[in-house]
């Protein structure tokens, strides 16, 4: 096998015609990989993604070839995948106002060129989910920037842009329905899509995980402030209390109690969504 790429969380290996995607226990915030790992995180991301890929297989195909035909030392955290020609657009759906979307709205009254009603506050539910794509910037080369739909059409073509938007919003809509039955709100999510050799547009990377999505406890949702996160936003909030870190590398060590609280959130969202006990 040949190591093709080492990302913030995953390693990508070439293995014949396939690739192996291996999820580590590393965690990153603000594009900085922190020096402290979150135990089991890579396995939780992998197993939850596999569960979602199965749930949404009728919406859009995905890149999974096998979840078991992988080296034994990576069992549970690696998947064998089809090679995709990735679209250089981060496909994001938002149903609630939070994070960078909130900041964009407060500045412009819109997100990715999509105008929103006046008077929305942090945590507000949007009138309908919106497609808010961003650029896809390689690690260490800056931060992703919002794109308008016209930007996506220019970067791809009108037909591809329309398919990206439809897939993103339909995955979000279906995912939100499933999560709502378990008392979870999916505030927003990010998808990675690419073209297979036959030209089919497929989901890649991960799907509806605590690394790629904002999960909130529905029974505690209250617009106007920070929600109870079931994802790595908890870690971002912890880091905002640090007065000696400027959000650039190297990142700070994570205290044991914050590691445990972060891991507990990943486990909780996995168990609530799938109905399975994390072992």
């Amino acid at each position: 096998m040949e190591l093709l790429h080492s990302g913030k969380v995953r390693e990508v290996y070439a293995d014949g015609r396939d690739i192996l995607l291996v999820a580590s226990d590393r965690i990153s915030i603000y594009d900085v990989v922190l020096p402290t790992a979150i135990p089991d995180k890579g396995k939780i991301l992998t197993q939850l993604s596999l569960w979602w890929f199965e749930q949404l297989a009728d919406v859009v195909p995905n890149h999974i070839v096998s979840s078991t035909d992988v080296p034994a030392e990576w069992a549970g955290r690696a998947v064998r995948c089809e090679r995709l020609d990735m679209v250089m657009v981060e496909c994001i759906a938002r149903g609630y106002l939070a994070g960078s979307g909130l900041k964009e709205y407060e500045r412009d009254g819109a997100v990715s060129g999509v105008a929103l009603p006046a008077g929305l506050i942090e945590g507000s539910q949007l009138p309908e989910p919106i497609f808010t794509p961003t650029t896809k910037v390689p690690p260490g080369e800056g931060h992703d920037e919002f794109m308008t739909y016209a930007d996506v059409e220019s970067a791809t073509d009108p037909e591809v842009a329309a398919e990206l938007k439809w897939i993103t919003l339909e995955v979000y809509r279906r995912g939100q329905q499933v999560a709502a039955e378990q008392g979870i709100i999916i505030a927003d999510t990010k998808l990675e899509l690419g073209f297979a050799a036959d030209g089919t547009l497929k989901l890649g990377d991960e799907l509806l995980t605590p690394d790629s999505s904002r999960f909130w406890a529905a029974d505690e949702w209250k617009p106007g402030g920070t929600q109870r996160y079931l994802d790595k936003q908890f870690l971002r909030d912890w880091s905002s209390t640090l007065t000696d870190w400027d959000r650039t590398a190297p990142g700070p060590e994570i205290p044991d109690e914050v590691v445990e609280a972060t891991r507990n959130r990943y486990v909780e969202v996995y168990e609530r969504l799938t109905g399975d006990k994390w072992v």
Side-chain angles (χ1 to χ4, degrees), residues 95-138:
Y96 294 77
L97 203 53
S100 58
L102 172 64
K103 294 178 182 177
E104 186 89 350
Y105 168 77
E106 290 175 338
R107 188 185 69 196
D108 300 333
V111 185
S112 282
V114 180
L116 295 172
L120 298 179
I121 56 179
E122 182 177 2
S124 288
Q125 184 174 14
L126 304 182
E128 61 181 9
I130 58 174
F131 179 57
T132 61
T134 68
T135 57
K136 185 183 293 187
V137 178

Side-chain angles (χ1 to χ4, degrees), residues 149 152-153 156-166 195 199 201:
Y149 185 69
V152 179
E153 289 183 312
T156 56
D157 65 53
E159 184 176 340
V160 171
E163 192 171 5
L164 292 173
K165 179 179 179 180
W166 182 87
F195 288 98
L201 196 56

Side-chain angles (χ1 to χ4, degrees), residues 44-45 47-49 51-52 55-56 172 174-186 189 207-217 230-231 265-278:
I44 293 171
L45 296 182
Q47 297 307 311
L48 186 56
S49 289
W51 185 84
W52 277 117
Q55 302 301 308
L56 300 176
Y172 176 80
R174 288 278 297 274
Q176 176 71 306
Q177 286 179 344
V178 172
E181 294 173 358
Q182 307 306 325
I184 292 174
I185 290 171
I186 304 177
T189 194
L207 181 61
L208 293 167
T209 72
D211 269 18
S212 65
S213 313
R214 281 187 175 85
F215 293 109
W216 298 341
L230 301 174
D231 54 61
R265 281 162 170 77
Y266 278 68
V267 170
E268 180 182 349
V269 78
Y270 173 87
E271 293 183 341
R272 290 179 66 170
L273 286 170
T274 68
D276 293 335
K277 187 72 175 175
W278 180 258

Side-chain angles (χ1 to χ4, degrees), residues 15-31:
D15 187 16
R17 297 175 58 185
D18 301 331
I19 62 171
L20 289 176
L21 202 61
V22 186
S24 73
D25 291 339
R26 297 190 297 271
I27 195 164
S28 68
I29 51 175
Y30 307 114
D31 294 323

Side-chain angles (χ1 to χ4, degrees), residues 35-58:
T36 314
I38 306 298
D40 288 337
K41 175 177 173 284
K43 290 185 177 182
I44 293 171
L45 296 182
T46 299
Q47 297 307 311
L48 186 56
S49 289
L50 288 168
W51 185 84
W52 277 117
F53 282 138
E54 184 176 343
Q55 302 301 308
L56 300 176
D58 62 325

